[in-house]
């Protein structure tokens, strides 16, 4: 199998990626008090040494009191970008990655509706929800019933002032990221968290300029991107992750046609997004009827920007199946992926669990060596 096409460099704004393989963002929870240490720096350095072209970090909490908090998810060991101390801590990570020839973006994250009362770095901070809603109960989800009971009651919708505060917090954290030596900014705009909860009609039922229709629902994301772009300047790329599916409901959809997808993403492209990361569980599934093209393909087509695909690359089972204990095996045949890549469907290839388990996955792909697969043991340690 010839994987050479994936090893062509790609320039975007002021940076050049050595190849098209991206480490997909994966929450680990190994940063006590929100500060990554030398073990986290070495973990990311190993992926750079293993030739991965772009590393997108685990979700990193922004400088806002309710950015993080979910029982069982990292208990204050999810990293943050909240001020000089975190800039210094992240500097260790970016230096280590750069010394090994890598490129790294932090994934800026605010949990929005998913924040649970009395958890996270600021337990008393109320969750930020566009309409006070967590989302409909009864969707297909892997979240446990106890959590669903706790987060279901409606809270107060966000005020205009709260919206402005969170946007300002994104900008501050982008500034910290730049000071810490990151090469670009990745935004978590998917999976039902804050940015996505503005995009999704089930969680955004506002009738004002932040929600009255599809385009208004994109305004929050666009404002965040615009502020970050103003902060970081023209040379650092911005990538934006979005998803049809939500933690609240794996079957949810933001867009049911390419035209709707265009309405949602075009304002973000105009605001300064360079790369759209289309988060899917299986990269090889067609997104809309009448075409074989996947979601990343459509994102590229409707925006004219770069796009990244993800989901089940190098492995035979989707994310939630493997987390639920389904046995996974390495999927050495990258031909279906390469076929789509060669058709110019997308520009970048996101690899999650395969790179969690094997820091050298990208080099193996280049050399045609057997892959190691994945098992959940690699979640317990930073290997
Ligand atoms: C342990 C773990 C943690 C994850 N955390 C995040 C995260 O913080 N942000 C995010 O956008 N996606 C997260 N994801 C989703 C991955 O980025 C990726 O989209 C998903 O695992 C599918 O890719 P794969 O099939 O190659 O694993 C996580 C996945 C795993 C396995």
């Amino acid at each position: 199998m010839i994987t050479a096409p994936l090893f062509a460099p790609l320039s975007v704004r002021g940076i050049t990626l050595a190849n098209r393989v991206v480490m997909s963002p994966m929450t680990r929870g190994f940063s006590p008090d929100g500060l990554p240490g030398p073990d986290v720096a070495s973990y990311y350095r190993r992926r750079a040494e293993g030739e991965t072209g772009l590393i997108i970090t685990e979700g990193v909490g922004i400088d806002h009191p309710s950015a993080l908090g979910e029982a069982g998810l990292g208990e204050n060991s999810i990293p943050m970008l909240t001020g000089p101390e975190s800039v210094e801590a992240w500097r260790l990570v970016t230096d280590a990655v750069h010394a090994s020839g890598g490129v790294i973006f932090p994934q800026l994250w605010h949990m929005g509706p998913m924040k649970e009362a009395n958890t996270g770095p600021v337990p008393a901070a109320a969750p930020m929800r566009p309409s006070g809603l967590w989302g409909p109960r009864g969707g297909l989800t892997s979240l446990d019933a106890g959590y669903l009971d706790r987060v279901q009651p409606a809270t107060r919708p966000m005020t205009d002032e709260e919206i402005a505060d969170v946007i300002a917090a994104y900008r501050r954290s982008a500034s910290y990221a730049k000071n810490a030596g990151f090469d670009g900014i990745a935004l978590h705009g998917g999976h039902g968290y804050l940015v996505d909860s503005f995009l999704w009609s089930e969680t955004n039922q506002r009738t004002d300029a932040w929600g009255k229709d599809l385009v208004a629902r994109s305004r929050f994301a666009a404002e965040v991107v615009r502020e970050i772009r103003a902060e970081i300047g023209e040379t650092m790329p911005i990538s934006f992750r979005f998803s049809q599916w939500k933690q609240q409901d794996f079957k949810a959809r933001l867009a049911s046609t390419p035209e709707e997808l265009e309405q949602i993403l075009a304002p973000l492209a105009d605001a300064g997004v360079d790369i759209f990361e289309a988060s899917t569980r299986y990269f090889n599934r067609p997104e809309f009827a009448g075409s074989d093209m996947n979601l990343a393909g459509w994102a590229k087509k409707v925006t004219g920007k770069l796009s990244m695909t993800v989901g089940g690359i190098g492995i035979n089972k989707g994310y939630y199946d493997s987390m639920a204990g389904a046995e996974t095996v390495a999927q050495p045949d990258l031909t279906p992926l390469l076929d789509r890549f060669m058709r110019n469907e997308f520009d970048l290839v996101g690899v999650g669990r395969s790179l969690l388990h094997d820091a050298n996955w990208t080099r193996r792909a280049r050399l045609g060596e057997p892959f190691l697969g994945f098992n959940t043991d690699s979640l317990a340690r930073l290997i």
Side-chain angles (χ1 to χ4, degrees), residues 22-28 43 56-60 73 78 107 109 187-191 193 241-242 245 247 277-283 308-320 322-323 350-356 374 378-379:
V22 179
M23 182 179 193
S24 198
M26 282 174 288
T27 291
R28 303 307 317 273
Y43 163 79
I56 300 182
T57 69
E58 59 206 291
V60 177
L73 195 66
I78 293 176
Q107 189 191 46
W109 190 21
L187 264 175
H188 198 336
H191 307 179
Y193 295 110
R241 172 167 272 222
F242 72 100
W245 67 273
Q247 304 263 17
E277 298 166 44
S279 172
T280 53
R281 273 164 285 146
Y282 292 93
F283 78 91
M308 180 189 104
T309 195
V310 72
I313 293 170
I315 200 170
N316 71 326
K317 289 269 176 13
Y319 172 34
Y320 285 102
S322 77
M323 292 303 163
V351 179
R353 290 160 299 157
S354 302
L355 261 172
L356 197 69
F374 173 74
S378 52
L379 295 173

Side-chain angles (χ1 to χ4, degrees), residues 324-377:
E327 198 189 334
T328 57
V329 294
Q331 191 71 266
D333 184 9
L334 296 181
T335 311
L337 177 74
L338 280 154
D339 284 348
R340 286 175 183 266
F341 183 77
M342 300 292 280
R343 290 203 297 264
N344 214 15
E345 197 167 310
F346 38 76
D347 308 278
L348 293 158
V349 165
V351 179
R353 290 160 299 157
S354 302
L355 261 172
L356 197 69
H357 194 61
D358 177 12
N360 291 314
W361 188 91
T362 307
R363 180 183 297 121
R364 283 185 218 283
R366 182 172 63 78
L367 297 175
E369 289 178 2
F371 295 140
L372 307 186
F374 173 74
N375 66 57
T376 46
D377 293 347

